[in-house]
Amino acid sequence: ILDMRLKALQGLDREKLEAEYKELEEKIAYFNQLLSSDELLRKVLKEELQAISDKFGDDRVTEIQDVEDEIDIEDLIEEEQCVFTLTQAGYIKRTPASEYTAQSKGGMGKKGITTREEDYVVDVFTASTHDYILFFTDTGKVYRKKGYQIPESGKAAKGTNIVNILQVEQGERIQAMIHTRDIEHDESRYLVMVTRNGTVKRLPVGTLRNLRNNGIRALRMDEGDQLITVRETDGAQKILIATHDGQAVCFDENDVRPMGREAVGVRGIRLRDGDYVVGAARAKPGYQVLSITEKGYGKRTPVEEYRITNRGGLGIKNYQITDKTGKIVGVKVVDGTEDLLLMTQSGILIRTPVENIKETANRATQGVIVMRFKEEGDQVISMALAEHEDTEDASAEAEVSTEISANEENPTAET
């Protein structure tokens, strides 16, 4: 007031100031009463909300309804071709195919994965990030993931352990991976499954459309049996099954009728006491059957040498088993352009070109030496195929594949 001019002081309206002061005191009293009474507070809120409704309560313009083909997370993921790699120890990874640049003929290649010394790649294929990947375990269960759900890793990375991706049970082991685009409407393709005890089952791919995260049973097996191989077919393939004791059977897949998931399957090969199935494959014309024994012997035999027989029989002789060769570890159908990976009981791994293994027209031979052992008593326990890779020691590995002398070979008549 002291800072105000005299003219302004004269203009002050005393009655106006007193009225304003009284009004403020009434408001303070009302607000105190409002805050102390829940009933009065609710009444005021109701009146104010009703006033807002009366003022702005026009009809909704936006319509809320269910929308067909709502956006899916998959629509936000770019589709690209990737290389999927699975190792014997259960590590899997996805690498964009663009990282594997083309090289001129005769190139040395690039490192594709870093594994532990005793680990090696057992399966590799190219598929889209939007494709389904089916995982089959030795217990007969199948799991499904989209390609983009497999963690992406660089070329040299080890990958992720499969137990961090799939809800596999303790002790379950992935035996095969199959990739497919459309499970829902695919009625033209089949999965042929073969077990250790010689059971065969042909399952339409479409029966696996309703897969849960914890997998479903694709094959029911007797106690002690286990799934060995799963192969995708088009309904017109020949199936070859080979056993530990050197027998083999080759039959038309249509000899096995398509079955549902709950079916057990039918007999693919009759086994003698102590024998069991070590592998199965599609017998493609023009290819060869590669057989490897426990003591490092092997041979390639044209598929055409395996005549078509009835399913469920004892089959024909695939290999001349002797004490020198040992029994069969596994078989693969090859075209000669691949590399062969062999793992021994002591953890030694060798990689050698398949073309270095002699091709023989006679099925019942001892084959050639593919691998020699550093330790006495060591033996081959598993085999796998990989894309051919030129290495600095390729010539040294080629020398390992030495043909045994003619007087050591002992062909026998077909049985």
Side-chain angles (χ1 to χ4, degrees):
I1 293 176
L2 293 176
D3 290 336
M4 296 177 66
R5 295 181 180 182
L6 183 60
K7 182 178 180 180
L9 284 173
Q10 291 176 347
L12 290 177
D13 187 347
R14 181 182 179 88
E15 291 183 358
K16 183 178 178 181
L17 291 174
E18 288 179 347
E20 182 179 349
Y21 178 73
K22 184 178 180 181
E23 183 181 355
L24 289 174
E25 284 187 327
E26 290 176 351
K27 285 184 177 181
I28 291 172
Y30 171 74
F31 290 144
N32 284 331
Q33 182 183 7
L34 184 64
L35 292 174
S36 61
S37 173
D38 291 339
E39 183 180 352
L40 182 59
L41 186 60
R42 292 193 194 94
K43 181 180 179 182
V44 172
L45 286 173
K46 183 178 180 180
E47 292 174 353
E48 291 181 352
L49 290 174
Q50 186 62 48
I52 293 174
S53 176
D54 294 341
K55 184 176 181 181
F56 303 104
D58 53 346
D59 294 334
R60 174 180 289 277
V61 177
T62 304
E63 183 180 356
I64 300 176
Q65 62 181 9
D66 294 331
V67 180
E68 294 184 0
D69 300 327
E70 291 185 5
I71 189 169
D72 187 14
I73 184 66
E74 185 173 318
D75 299 328
L76 305 177
I77 298 175
E78 179 183 3
E79 182 171 3
E80 62 176 342
Q81 290 295 112
C82 293
V83 177
F84 295 82
T85 308
L86 177 68
T87 74
Q88 189 268 345
Y91 286 87
I92 188 172
K93 70 170 184 173
R94 169 174 61 91
T95 305
S98 58
E99 290 198 21
Y100 295 90
T101 55
Q103 293 183 315
S104 301
K105 185 178 68 173
M108 295 297 292
K110 294 183 179 180
K111 191 172 185 64
I113 188 171
T114 299
T115 59
R116 295 178 298 178
E117 186 174 342
E118 67 275 13
D119 197 10
Y120 57 91
V121 174
V122 294
D123 202 353
V124 59
F125 58 83
T126 302
S128 167
T129 50
H130 290 194
D131 285 350
Y132 287 106
I133 312 295
L134 302 178
F135 300 87
F136 294 85
T137 71
D138 54 357
T139 62
K141 293 185 68 175
V142 58
Y143 300 82
R144 183 181 71 183
K145 288 291 182 182
K146 278 285 192 175
Y148 61 80
Q149 293 177 307
I150 307 301
E152 182 178 335
S153 301
K155 286 186 301 182
K158 180 175 63 175
T160 305
N161 197 304
I162 200 75
V163 299
N164 297 322
I165 302 173
L166 305 177
Q167 298 179 14
V168 294
E169 298 176 1
Q170 185 71 25
E172 264 191 309
R173 180 185 181 85
I174 302 298
Q175 290 290 86
M177 294 193 303
I178 302 291
H179 64 96
T180 182
R181 184 67 175 196
D182 186 6
I183 293 180
E184 302 293 331
H185 307 97
D186 197 341
E187 302 296 338
S188 62
R189 290 185 299 147
Y190 301 89
L191 297 173
V192 175
M193 295 173 276
V194 181
T195 75
R196 178 185 173 94
N197 290 347
T199 298
V200 177
K201 179 177 179 179
R202 191 157 70 113
L203 183 72
V205 173
T207 60
L208 300 178
R209 59 173 60 94
N210 298 319
L211 286 181
R212 302 183 293 269
N213 288 333
N214 59 349
I216 61 173
R217 183 71 58 186
L219 172 65
R220 296 198 176 277
M221 297 177 290
D222 297 332
E223 187 175 354
D225 200 2
Q226 65 178 5
L227 183 64
I228 296 294
T229 302
V230 180
R231 289 290 180 266
E232 185 181 8
T233 68
D234 58 5
Q237 298 292 320
K238 304 296 185 292
I239 305 300
L240 176 77
I241 301 177
T243 75
H244 186 57
D245 287 344
Q247 292 294 111
V249 64
C250 188
F251 58 88
D252 191 305
E253 71 166 284
N254 290 296
D255 287 351
V256 182
R257 62 177 179 81
M259 308 175 191
R261 290 191 298 105
E262 298 299 321
V264 177
V266 296
R267 177 180 292 173
I269 185 171
R270 181 180 288 110
L271 301 172
R272 294 187 173 94
D273 290 343
D275 199 7
Y276 57 88
V277 172
V278 294
R282 292 164 296 187
K284 302 177 183 178
Y287 282 59
Q288 306 94 41
V289 177
L290 172 63
S291 303
I292 299 296
T293 71
E294 294 172 335
K295 296 188 177 180
Y297 282 71
K299 70 177 179 68
R300 286 189 294 151
T301 306
V303 164
E304 288 72 18
E305 294 298 317
Y306 294 80
R307 71 177 190 273
I308 304 300
T309 61
N310 292 328
R311 170 188 59 80
L314 289 172
I316 57 179
K317 186 173 288 293
N318 171 46
Y319 210 102
Q320 179 60 32
I321 300 295
T322 65
D323 291 339
K324 181 183 295 185
T325 64
K327 297 190 176 183
I328 305 299
V329 170
V331 297
K332 300 287 184 182
V333 172
V334 300
D335 61 7
T337 62
E338 309 91 341
D339 278 357
L340 172 66
L341 301 174
L342 297 180
M343 173 68 77
T344 73
Q345 203 168 38
S346 62
I348 302 298
L349 176 67
I350 185 177
R351 180 173 188 150
T352 186
V354 168
E355 64 181 358
N356 289 345
I357 303 172
K358 182 183 177 182
E359 181 176 341
T360 61
N362 197 326
R363 287 179 284 102
T365 63
Q366 293 184 36
V368 298
I369 299 174
V370 180
M371 182 179 189
R372 301 183 189 274
F373 305 117
K374 295 180 180 179
E375 300 179 11
E376 186 177 353
D378 200 5
Q379 66 179 27
V380 178
I381 60 173
S382 65
M383 64 180 294
L385 295 177
E387 291 185 5
H388 179 63
E389 181 179 277
D390 291 326
T391 59
E392 295 179 0
D393 57 349
S395 59
E397 290 183 344
E399 293 176 2
V400 174
S401 179
T402 306
E403 183 181 352
I404 62 176
S405 58
N407 60 356
E408 291 181 318
E409 295 190 354
N410 183 25
T412 62
E414 184 176 293
T415 59

